[in-house]
Amino acid sequence: MSRSAHPAGPRHADVLTEGHYSAPAADLNVLDEKVWSRTVTRDADGALTVGGIGVARLAEEFGTPAYFLDESDFRARCRAWSEAFGPDADVFYAGKAFLSRAVVRWLQEEGLHLDVCSGGELTTALDAGMSAERIAFHGNNKTVAEIERAVEAGVGRIVLDSFQEIVRVAHIARSRGVRQRVQIRVTVGVEAHTHEFIATAHEDQKFGIALADGQAAEAVRRALGLDSLELIGIHSHIGSQIFDMAGFEVSARRVVQLLAEVRDEHGVELPEIDLGGGLGIAYTSDDDPREPHEIAKALSDIVTRECESAGLRTPRISVEPGRAIVGPTAFTLYEVGTIKPLEGLRTYVSVDGGMSDNIRTALYDAEYSVALVSRTSDAEPMLVRVVGKHCESGDIVVKDAFLPADLAPGDLIAVPATGAYCRSMASNYNHALRPPVVAVRDGEARVIVRRETEEDLLRLDVG
Ligand code: LLP
């Protein structure tokens, strides 16, 4: 494709008074390390490299669009989380963010546990050799068949989400002569400061059993009364992409209060609490995420303090980060296609993917960054909207960003921080073929989830 300069779109100066985008970075060629995975850098020619491999080679070998996952960064983040929480806590990676058999093996090697929330995730975990006792099984509507498989596999815990499920799991465990370890998921009534669709601790939603009105205490009463259940603790997940630790602190305090009530009523000190996942990551330079050691310290301090004042032994803490581990470790590589400048507004840059590989912008108004990565450019910044090739105008990948004004069809651009909830929420809309996930490490790249093919599409369409 032509690399000639495209007729420049509107310059940022024309439109800076409108919209809610940040001003362009002083130098668009500089990659902000906050949003890119750790081994990303530019080579001498200005092209982005990850794990020592340049994007031109990656695009040629694996095609675009594609997700490139920085394996050593993923492993380093796993280690940072488990070291931050130490031997008296457990880190469960939330597989819904992104799961594949390679990821399961990395988790095992790095000593993490795994949270699964469907039969499909459970199968992937077991197939890749995850030990069942390191698996937690979640979900607000687990099917009987899923519960049966989880119990038969011997998962380390099932997180009970409703009164009906307490009975269902107890019955299935009893019929198999098993005493199933369980936690009860409670909603603590915290309004997490995040998008409505990913906030989960307020009461008016489908997950968990409310602490309010003694509902959770009643659930504990019932679970303790069933021999086939071993109630090991209480679980609370307040939502996702949260930066403010205050919500976690309130949640921890309320869960410890419930432990104290349980001790007073039943003479039992439940040994574990799980504070869920939800820690935010940097999608743009404006985001300032906390480091795992700060999070671990804040959570363990509050639990220890609350337990001391309630006269409880400090329970074992577990957490379930998904996004905070995998999110920053991958970027999506796209090839630029049609460029449509709109005088006085912005320039629409179409890429070869879109809402089928990243639905988060359309669904949650999520913000992303973007950079020209096949080369550097000294052209001035132009305000762009990066859009996909799908048949709807909400098909936006990056709503407002700046790219060099000499951007041309055939250039490669990349959107960082797409490791979480992009491939796992990808769709076949418009019969798009879901992109591959390529793991890159120490100069080697290998496909861990292959690109979908038209044969895959036709195989499901049985006529
Ligand atoms: N634990 C439980 C019980 C959860 O429901 C979730 C996420 C996590 C842990 C992991 O949360 P994380 O650390 O990844 O934020 N699709 C949305 C996110 C939905 C999260 C659902 N539950 C998004 O793209 O932002």
Side-chain angles (χ1 to χ4, degrees), residues 367-413:
E367 291 184 12
Y368 282 92
S369 320
V370 62
L372 169 61
V373 292
S374 43
R375 60 185 173 93
T376 49
S377 164
D378 293 328
E380 61 181 297
M382 67 173 170
L383 178 66
V384 300
R385 179 159 292 174
V386 179
V387 296
K389 67 198 295 289
H390 295 282
C391 293
E392 71 179 75
S393 44
D395 172 25
I396 297 169
V397 180
V398 187
K399 202 165 176 194
D400 295 299
F402 290 88
L403 284 171
D406 64 349
L407 192 76
D411 278 332
L412 297 174
I413 61 175

Side-chain angles (χ1 to χ4, degrees), residues 81 92-97 115 117 138-139 159 161 185 194-195 197-200 207 235-242 274-280 283 319-326 358-360 363-364 366 368 420-422 424-425:
W81 275 85
F92 285 74
Y93 169 75
K96 66 207 83 183
D115 143 9
C117 68
H138 271 280
V159 183
D161 211 272
R185 176 164 175 178
T194 187
H195 192 282
F197 293 176
I198 52 176
T200 53
F207 293 109
H235 182 286
S236 163
H237 169 76
I238 60 171
S240 255
Q241 185 58 4
I242 298 168
D274 189 310
L275 295 171
L279 286 313
Y283 285 102
V319 285
E320 298 170 337
R323 185 190 325 261
I325 291 178
V326 71
N358 186 350
I359 191 65
R360 298 193 68 262
L363 195 55
Y364 314 117
Y368 282 92
Y421 304 109
C422 286
S424 67
M425 293 175 80

